[in-house]
């Protein structure tokens, strides 16, 4: 497999929003949260958005932001047919490298989301909780 990331464009926003909605709506319902297309679109505009690809095929996308201390994974979603092929772990390792300038890789995950186990296998640990989310992080130092 030849996984790679490429910058998402405005043309990719609908794909990313639809994928995120499909992946997350069950958790939103479980925890009584309200999905907002406008909220997704506003967040999209302020983040770095990348498509996860295998050769020419788009498998999913990742959305990140950063501050002086951490790189934050805001969204990470794969098409259902593209899961369990190693792409999620590959993306996490790419983000860990990218986070070296800040020192930390951080994300939040719904407490009932089985993706938490993937994150733990790739060195992220639970460091706190907020309502229905676990806060997770991994130290990412260069060298």
């Amino acid at each position: 497999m030849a996984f790679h990331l490429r910058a998402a464009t405005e043309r990719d926003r609908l794909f990313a929003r639809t994928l995120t909605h499909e992946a997350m709506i069950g958790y939103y319902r479980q925890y009584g949260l309200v999905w907002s297309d406008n909220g997704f679109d506003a967040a999209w505009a302020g983040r770095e958005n990348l498509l996860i690809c295998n050769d020419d095929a788009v498998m999913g996308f990742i959305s990140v932001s950063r501050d002086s201390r951490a790189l934050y994974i805001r969204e990470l979603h794969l098409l259902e047919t593209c899961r369990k092929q190693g792409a999620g772990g590959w993306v996490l390792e790419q983000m860990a490298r990218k986070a070296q300038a800040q020192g930390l890789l951080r994300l939040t995950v719904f407490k009932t989301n089985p993706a938490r186990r993937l994150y733990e296998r790739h060195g992220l640990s639970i460091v706190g909780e907020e309502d229905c989310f676990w806060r997770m992080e991994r130290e990412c130092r260069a060298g």
Side-chain angles (χ1 to χ4, degrees):
M1 304 248 173
F3 298 134
H4 62 97
L5 298 170
R6 74 171 165 82
T9 67
E10 183 59 26
R11 290 188 314 271
D12 302 309
R13 182 173 44 84
L14 181 58
F15 162 77
R17 185 198 317 139
T18 301
L19 180 59
T20 302
H21 181 266
E22 289 172 359
M24 295 289 103
I25 194 63
Y27 300 110
Y28 274 64
R29 288 181 182 134
Q30 178 182 4
Y31 291 109
L33 303 174
V34 177
W35 173 264
S36 167
D37 285 348
N38 290 336
F40 180 92
D41 292 350
W44 173 272
R47 296 178 181 162
E48 180 182 0
N49 302 296
L50 303 162
L51 295 180
I52 304 163
C53 303
N54 180 13
D55 296 324
D56 291 333
V58 174
M59 302 177 73
F61 92 104
I62 183 167
S63 182
V64 299
S65 66
R66 67 181 77 224
D67 62 21
S68 63
R69 295 183 358 210
L71 177 74
Y72 297 86
I73 296 176
R74 301 300 186 172
E75 305 287 349
L76 172 54
H77 303 289
L78 291 167
L79 293 165
E80 195 166 344
T81 57
C82 297
R83 296 178 188 155
K84 301 198 183 294
Q85 298 177 23
W90 179 84
V91 169
L92 289 171
E93 292 307 313
Q94 299 307 303
M95 293 304 108
R97 283 191 202 91
K98 192 175 180 107
Q100 286 180 348
Q102 286 77 29
L104 290 172
L105 178 62
R106 290 183 169 159
L107 59 80
T108 58
V109 61
F110 281 105
K111 289 180 176 178
T112 55
N113 188 334
R116 187 193 91 228
R117 291 188 293 279
L118 171 69
Y119 303 147
E120 288 173 332
R121 285 195 307 271
H122 286 273
L124 287 119
S125 300
I126 294 172
V127 295
E129 65 181 296
E130 295 171 30
D131 301 323
C132 53
F133 299 102
W134 294 118
R135 284 185 287 115
M136 301 183 78
E137 71 181 29
R138 172 181 168 180
E139 197 167 311
C140 302
R141 300 283 176 212

